[in-house]
Amino acid sequence: MNKGKVYIVGAGPGDLELLSLKAKRCVEEADCIVYDRLINKRILKFAKPDAELIYLGKLNTEGGVIQDEINKTLVREALKGKVVTRLKGGDPFVFGRGGEEIQEILKDEIPFEVVPGITSSISVPAYSGIPVTHRGISRSFHVFTGHTMEDGGWHNFDAIAKLKGTLVFLMGVKNLDLITGDLIKNGKDPETPVGIIEKGSTSKQRVIRGTLSTIVEIAKKEDVKPPAIIIIGGVVNLRDEFNWFEKKELFGKKILVTRDEKQAEAMSSVIEKKGGEAVELPLIQIEDQMKDYDYSEIKKYSCLLFNSQNAVRSFFRYLPDMRLLGDIKIGVVGVKTKEELLKVKLVPDFMPEEYIGELLAKEACDCTKEEDKILFVTSDISPNNPEEWSAKYKRNFEKLAAYKTVKIKKDKSEVEETLKGVDIVTFLSSSTVEAFVESLDGNLDGIKGVKFASIGPVTSETMKKLGLSVDIEAKIFTAEGVLKSIEEAM
Ligand code: SAH
């Protein structure tokens, strides 16, 4: 009997890139993924399309009932012969109950492996600019749970208060007054610096500081919420100099990416690289239209024009032999379009300065003769009308719709749910704007407080027409350009 396999995997504290290569492989291989609340949901994108994703989150980490259900689920799914990946926040053995899960699956002799993760107890302080040890300040660090035991038992604070090293408490928000009170009672200096780091390593990271004697009051005023880490000791003051993460360009911003699923990833990773949080809600889908195209037609044309990355990608995807292009001239508009062409080792003959389709027609005149045939490769909904250019430029322009942009209408409730906490919605095309407004059934009342960013004037026009404010407009008409303008606007 194939008993499957269970990977007990630590997913790190929240920043997607703190996932280990091994953890990523376990997600890629899994037939079934059981994950909890503290993991970055973008990790799940590495899963196979048909992998079963089971969310068993627990708001209260001591919820015994849900732990039972997790254990049972791991056993049940593995015994079906599946590879089961159990994804946990931080490290699976640091207050992660990974050991209990192993004891359970061992009863059925199910094979397992443990993939350690970057525990929040060190990495969350690091993201707030606090090293857990530092020469001359702290020669050790000690990690505690902030929960009391079921029978009310508690740590030996007499011993803890004597420790010279850094004290780190996980799950301690609820018992903050007990922790600080017992430390002071047992002789720890009330002036010892304390930091509380909420949602560390995410774009919503927040740090509250005080001393053993003041922090309870401050935390109450600031309404500190879990997940948060309490760190106590002189190292906390190093944050004044070492704070780095919160200075990143997009720190604190939750940004909605609405572009095609395949292209969303590139934009999301730039957002996260800059310290923001990306949420994806694809509102269009790009569909290739070139599968049945007769590429032998190409020899009729003396020039090919491309106005988007997708146009280049779709055109070359099915081209059977590069030599069919002969010495045809090629023009592109947009840096991204050019980059895509360079990927297939073709250097465009010309590229207009400005991102305006018609300039392609104008510049094509320099390398073609009157009455030459010129093919404009674009999307089905391109606003450009090459037939109109023919009379003006004395060439025969034709349009080839190499791909289709299909709008995706989402459920109103799904859009509203996704928008929770989002600061900025980005639109990279008019169709995404239309799909957004259509998904909300035209009712924009529920989206107050959100800002809208557009890739350029055409998209902005559509936004205004459909009742959305244009809070930010890119100066460079690319996804990076949009993010750059968001940074500047902040
Ligand atoms: N196994 C995890 C800890 C699980 S216990 C690890 O190794 O990190 C859950 C506690 O971890 C939370 O209550 C909080 O104290 C801490 N924690 C986890 N992720 C955190 C984050 N991103 N920011 C702040 N605290 C975090």
Side-chain angles (χ1 to χ4, degrees), residues 13 38 89-91 94-96 119-121 124 170-171 197 199-200 227-229:
L38 286 175
D91 178 88
V94 178
F95 307 126
T119 175
S120 61
S121 51
V124 165
L170 271 58
M171 302 177 283
I197 309 142
K199 296 199 177 74
I229 274 183

Side-chain angles (χ1 to χ4, degrees), residues 352-476:
E353 287 277 308
E354 275 183 279
Y355 193 98
I356 298 175
E358 191 179 334
L359 291 177
L360 277 174
K362 189 157 172 261
E363 294 197 10
C365 291
D366 299 336
C367 58
T368 54
K369 303 186 299 294
E370 269 188 35
E371 301 311 320
D372 270 2
K373 285 182 153 231
I374 297 177
L375 189 63
F376 180 59
V377 186
T378 184
S379 81
D380 61 323
I381 51 161
S382 163
N384 295 294
N385 191 353
E387 278 81 23
E388 276 174 20
W389 300 338
S390 296
K392 192 164 166 193
Y393 299 102
K394 305 205 170 50
R395 305 286 186 274
N396 289 309
F397 287 95
E398 284 174 26
K399 172 168 160 174
L400 172 65
Y403 65 95
K404 249 168 120 169
T405 305
V406 184
K407 285 188 269 182
I408 303 173
K409 190 173 185 300
K410 299 273 185 193
D411 268 350
K412 189 166 179 251
S413 56
E414 186 188 343
V415 180
E416 285 169 348
E417 187 57 35
T418 314
L419 279 175
K420 278 194 187 138
V422 165
D423 300 295
I424 301 158
V425 175
T426 57
F427 292 118
L428 272 55
S429 68
S430 288
S431 12
T432 50
V433 181
E434 287 159 9
F436 181 79
V437 175
E438 283 163 25
S439 297
L440 287 167
D441 299 328
N443 183 352
L444 305 175
D445 296 342
I447 50 167
K448 300 231 161 56
V450 181
K451 287 201 166 19
F452 296 96
S454 135
I455 191 165
V458 178
T459 302
S460 299
E461 220 27 67
T462 312
M463 288 160 69
K464 285 181 212 153
K465 206 174 72 199
L466 295 179
L468 296 174
S469 56
V470 181
D471 301 293
I472 296 154
E473 186 181 279
K475 294 192 198 76
I476 306 162

Side-chain angles (χ1 to χ4, degrees), residues 164-182:
K164 296 263 183 296
T166 306
L167 308 179
V168 178
F169 285 86
L170 271 58
M171 302 177 283
V173 173
K174 209 179 75 200
N175 288 333
L176 182 66
D177 52 348
L178 257 182
I179 294 166
T180 52
D182 282 353

